Amino acid sequence: AVYNQLFAPLANYLVAQSAPDVSQVKLGSSLFRRAGDLGGLFLNPDNQYVFQASNWTPGTIIVIRGKAMTFPDTRHGGSTTEATDVRYWSMCSNELADPYPAVACASDDETAVDASGYYTYVVSMAKDRPKNATTAKGVTWLAWAKAGTKQVPPNTTYLRSMLPGDGFDHAVQSVPPPQGESADVLAGEAAEAMAEYYPEGVLCTTTTF
C-alpha cells in the first residue's frame, strides 16, 4: 500500500520517460535483438537483454528454443566459485504496453533443460496452453498476459544474462549494442554473436505444438 501510494507514480513516470514507444517496436517472434537503453525499466547494469514482440490471436503461442547457459546453481547446493557461462540468466514474459508490466519469469534454475542442454519455452494465454507444455515434458511455460485480461495485449519476451564468465563469448553482453539498425539486422547480429545460445522464436498454434 505504501509503495502504491508513494513510489508507484514515480516508477511509472520513469518507465514512461525511458521505455521505447510501443508503436515503434517491430513485431516478430524470430526477431530477438539486443535492447537499447532501458533506463527506468530495468535498473541492474550487470544485466543485458535480447527481446522479441508478438501479437496474439486465438490459439497462437510463442515457442522459444536455445542452448541454456550454465550458472552457479546455489539454490540447489552449487558452489558460488565454480566456473560457469554466466552468473545468472532468465526468461521473462511482459505485456507490450506502457508501463511494460511483467507477467511471469523463469530463472535459470526453474527452466527445464533437456539432455543436450537446450531449453524450450512456450508463452501463451492459459486457454491456449498445450497439454504437453509442462516441465515433465521438458517445457517451461510462461503466461502471455495476466489472468483476467479482457483485451490481450502484444507480448514481449526477454532473455536476460548477467555477468558472463571469463572466456564465454555468447551471452547477451557479446551482442553489439543497437545503433539505429533495423530489427532484422539487430536479430542477425544477435544470432551470430550468441550462436547456439540465441533464442530462436516462432509463432505456431496449440495444435501444431
Side-chain angles (χ1 to χ4, degrees):
V2 172
Y3 172 84
N4 288 337
Q5 183 175 357
L6 298 180
F7 299 109
L10 175 59
N12 291 338
Y13 172 79
L14 290 173
V15 169
Q17 294 299 306
S18 306
D21 183 348
V22 172
S23 67
Q24 300 302 311
V25 176
K26 183 173 181 178
L27 304 181
S29 59
S30 63
L31 298 177
F32 271 93
R33 65 271 197 191
R34 181 164 168 173
D37 179 14
L38 296 175
L41 273 177
F42 309 112
L43 299 178
N44 186 339
D46 291 320
N47 287 333
Q48 293 297 335
Y49 307 80
V50 288
F51 75 99
Q52 68 82 39
S54 296
N55 268 331
W56 176 83
T57 55
T60 296
I61 68 175
I62 304 167
V63 182
I64 304 166
R65 185 166 170 80
K67 189 170 184 178
M69 292 170 272
T70 61
F71 62 97
D73 191 4
T74 56
R75 192 173 305 188
H76 299 104
S79 169
T80 58
T81 59
E82 68 176 303
T84 57
D85 296 337
V86 294
R87 179 65 179 173
Y88 171 84
W89 69 271
S90 65
M91 190 80 74
C92 286
S93 165
N94 288 43
E95 294 182 11
L96 186 65
D98 186 42
Y100 293 82
V103 178
C105 292
S107 59
D108 40 26
D109 69 302
E110 296 171 329
T111 300
V113 178
D114 67 20
S116 299
Y118 285 77
Y119 60 77
T120 300
Y121 276 91
V122 164
V123 183
S124 74
M125 296 297 291
K127 61 184 178 182
D128 298 323
R129 180 178 180 174
K131 292 181 179 179
N132 56 342
T134 64
T135 301
K137 294 292 186 179
V139 178
T140 306
W141 179 77
L142 296 176
W144 184 295
K146 295 182 178 180
T149 300
K150 294 181 180 179
Q151 185 171 353
V152 181
N155 175 274
T156 179
T157 314
Y158 289 87
L159 171 67
R160 139 180 48 204
S161 62
M162 176 193 287
L163 295 172
D166 292 339
F168 182 67
D169 299 324
H170 301 300
V172 179
Q173 284 80 352
S174 295
V175 180
Q179 302 292 333
E181 302 93 336
S182 69
D184 302 80
V185 171
L186 293 172
E189 291 179 346
E192 181 177 1
M194 297 183 72
E196 65 264 41
Y197 298 90
Y198 179 72
E200 296 186 359
V202 297
L203 284 177
C204 73
T205 65
T206 299
T207 302
T208 298
F209 187 85

